Amino acid sequence: RLGKTVHFGTVFGICVEKGSELPVGHKDRKYKGRFVFRGNDVRDQNYDHAIFQELGSSPAALEAGKAADFYGLLPGNAIEQSDAEQAYTQSLLKGVETWVELPEDRWPPEWKGIHRPVVPLELALYGHPDSGGYWEEHAEKHVMSVGFERVPDWRSCFWHPVFKTFLVIYVDDFKLAGPKDKLPEVWKLLRQGIDMEDPHPMGNFLGCQHEQSEQVSPWTGRKVQTMTYNMEPFLRDCVVKYTELTGNSRFRRVTTPFVEEPEWADGGVNTPSSPEAIEATLKEGELKHVAARVLMKVLYCARMCRYDLLHAIGRLACRVTKWDEACDRALHRMMCYIHHTYHIRQVGWVGDSADDVGIHLFADADFGGDKKTSRNTSGAFLCLAGPDTFFPIQAFSKKQTAVSHSTPEAEIVAADAAVRQIGIPCLELWDKVLGRD
């Protein structure tokens, strides 16, 4: 079979044994491989951490899950979740032919005495770089066959025009929101073509604990439906990881995640003449080689439900390639803030009907907030609100790509980014969910 482009591997993934003999005429060919001993320890042919290029797979965005939560809290609605069982292997593997080796304890008796037998891989096994795309294709085909329609420009999000239900699929996690009396019938349709667990009320979804309850509105004192997003265990794990990587376990109490600017930042007598001169006064940071690992882990939680960390992470992420001792202090300050704010939760509540709820998009910017480059930072926040409703959906904090000449200019740039990146894309979704143009 070596005349074709094929892969060889174990049942746990795709690999090729280094130094294996190839037939005559094939010794000059180069083969790539991937060893998958555990799902969290994936290596390539050089024993480096493998990077999967699953371009065929596009799971739903985090804000799609928040939208489903809001829809499920509207009067008369509910929200439930379910997991597909061994999702990838429910779909067939297509495309490039793939052959795998089986562990010897799984061989049939007639294989004994054969040197390294291989078999074709027919199901989209976990570890194969194309498995995610084929599973997504399989799931979407069935979902649409039972009456769902794609939400334009929102991947893995579906709307059922008959049952008025909103479905979000994130790999093998299914989240369904809609009229309470219609959910059992819709789940029955979905489970006709996809093996999944029994649906249940919202719990842990994408590493975030969803806690639904009825509480008193802080605005009117009426009873409202709330969704609380709790990622305290995840944040504690982030602090533990930081401690393991740095050896620093002393976290003083602070009230903000930002370190104070050095003396020269306010125009003191020792102010360097340029950003380059400022850089020259600082030494390389000790945490340069571990900073990205900490920041990217915390960033997931920040995007999910801790918007108060977005700006601090964004400022430090811009410095990863030119990390200095000031960045060390800033990173430690942020971890101190996280350590003393485990109790913070993001809460959204709904006390109105869909007709009384509107989409609210806020944008703002600082002016020259980055003292080293004089660039500004754009911030945006999207929520759904009404007389007694407030539900956060999405936020970002991003450094602008050019230096503005004034505060109005900086805020115009921020408003443009907010409308272009959040406002306009969200209209396709909410036209469907809220049932109005």
Side-chain angles (χ1 to χ4, degrees):
R1 313 292 295 191
L2 290 175
K4 299 181 179 180
T5 303
V6 295
H7 305 289
F8 291 88
T10 67
V11 294
F12 303 106
I14 308 305
C15 71
V16 59
E17 183 177 344
K18 187 177 181 180
S20 58
E21 290 294 326
L22 296 176
V24 176
H26 292 272
K27 291 189 176 182
D28 295 332
R29 296 193 179 187
K30 295 182 179 179
Y31 291 86
K32 292 184 178 181
R34 175 172 291 137
F35 292 87
V36 186
F37 301 112
R38 299 191 306 273
N40 64 343
D41 189 16
V42 185
R43 308 282 179 165
D44 63 12
Q45 67 275 11
N46 300 317
Y47 206 70
D48 295 326
H49 286 284
I51 300 176
F52 289 85
Q53 302 293 335
E54 297 191 14
L55 300 181
S57 176
S58 180
L62 296 180
E63 48 269 23
K66 294 283 189 70
D69 294 337
F70 164 80
Y71 187 59
L73 296 184
L74 287 172
N77 285 5
I79 181 169
E80 295 177 343
Q81 69 178 101
S82 179
D83 293 345
E85 297 179 345
Q86 299 181 345
Y88 285 8
T89 54
Q90 294 188 37
S91 57
L92 295 174
L93 187 66
K94 305 174 186 178
V96 176
E97 193 172 21
T98 301
W99 290 68
V100 296
E101 291 183 79
L102 299 180
E104 193 166 349
D105 61 351
R106 309 299 297 177
W107 290 8
E110 59 268 22
W111 280 18
K112 291 190 177 180
I114 302 178
H115 177 63
R116 296 184 62 200
V118 294
V119 294
L121 182 63
E122 296 184 355
L123 300 182
L125 193 70
Y126 285 82
H128 192 287
D130 295 328
S131 293
Y134 293 127
W135 153 250
E136 184 178 286
E137 179 184 336
H138 169 75
E140 287 194 6
K141 182 178 179 180
H142 174 67
V143 164
M144 298 183 67
S145 71
V146 297
F148 279 93
E149 301 174 349
R150 287 193 184 97
V151 177
D153 300 326
W154 285 74
R155 293 295 300 270
S156 300
C157 294
F158 304 90
W159 174 257
H160 202 297
V162 177
F163 297 110
K164 305 300 180 184
T165 53
F166 179 43
L167 175 66
V168 174
I169 304 177
Y170 193 96
V171 189
D172 59 350
D173 295 317
F174 289 68
K175 181 186 285 192
L176 182 66
K180 188 179 301 184
D181 58 335
K182 301 297 184 183
L183 293 189
E185 188 173 353
V186 177
W187 280 121
K188 184 178 179 180
L189 292 173
L190 291 174
R191 298 179 74 181
Q192 288 177 358
I194 299 175
D195 294 332
M196 59 177 66
E197 300 174 350
D198 293 333
H200 53 84
M202 289 302 301
N204 191 295
F205 186 79
L206 304 184
C208 177
Q209 189 65 29
H210 292 52
E211 301 167 355
Q212 183 177 346
S213 63
E214 185 178 75
Q215 298 183 23
V216 176
S217 168
W219 290 354
T220 65
R222 295 192 298 114
K223 294 289 186 179
V224 294
Q225 295 296 317
T226 68
M227 184 69 76
T228 301
Y229 299 94
N230 178 5
M231 292 194 72
E232 180 175 339
F234 184 90
L235 285 175
R236 289 185 180 275
D237 187 55
C238 291
V239 174
V240 169
K241 184 178 184 69
Y242 172 82
T243 300
E244 291 174 350
L245 292 173
T246 65
N248 191 344
S249 59
R250 300 180 61 184
F251 302 103
R252 63 189 179 89
R253 184 175 295 278
V254 296
T255 56
T256 73
F258 304 103
V259 71
E260 295 181 3
E261 296 286 356
E263 294 181 0
W264 41 257
D266 59 1
V269 294
N270 297 320
T271 303
S273 58
S274 65
E276 292 75 15
I278 294 175
E279 295 282 351
T281 64
L282 299 172
K283 300 177 182 178
E284 183 176 272
E286 296 181 6
L287 307 183
K288 178 178 181 179
H289 303 293
V290 301
R293 297 169 64 181
V294 176
L295 290 172
M296 294 303 101
K297 187 175 179 69
V298 179
L299 178 61
Y300 176 72
C301 177
R303 291 185 61 231
M304 175 67 81
C305 64
R306 285 294 300 268
Y307 298 160
D308 55 321
L309 298 173
L310 283 173
H311 185 44
I313 295 172
R315 292 178 66 173
L316 288 172
C318 293
R319 305 289 301 170
V320 167
T321 58
K322 39 194 174 182
W323 196 268
D324 54 41
E325 55 186 348
C327 299
D328 285 347
R329 294 193 295 271
L331 178 59
H332 183 68
R333 168 80 178 218
M334 186 181 73
M335 300 310 293
C336 289
Y337 174 77
I338 292 173
H339 181 70
H340 290 284
T341 57
Y342 292 136
H343 62 282
I344 290 181
R345 306 282 188 268
Q346 185 181 83
V347 181
W349 72 90
V350 179
D352 304 303
S353 66
D355 293 336
D356 296 325
V357 174
I359 305 169
H360 296 253
L361 177 62
F362 302 87
D364 201 359
D366 60 8
F367 181 62
D370 189 329
K371 303 299 181 183
K372 296 179 180 178
T373 63
S374 298
R375 290 186 183 178
N376 319 301
T377 301
S378 297
F381 173 68
L382 178 74
C383 68
L384 281 94
D388 202 10
T389 296
F390 183 84
F391 204 93
I393 299 294
Q394 185 180 1
F396 73 66
S397 175
K398 299 180 180 179
K399 184 188 291 187
Q400 296 182 4
T401 57
V403 178
S404 296
H405 297 87
S406 64
T407 298
E409 181 182 347
E411 293 183 346
I412 290 172
V413 172
D416 169 77
V419 172
R420 179 167 42 87
Q421 298 178 31
I422 297 181
I424 293 176
C426 84
L427 295 179
E428 292 280 6
L429 174 64
W430 293 113
D431 282 351
K432 289 277 190 182
V433 175
L434 297 180
R436 61 177 189 260
D437 189 358

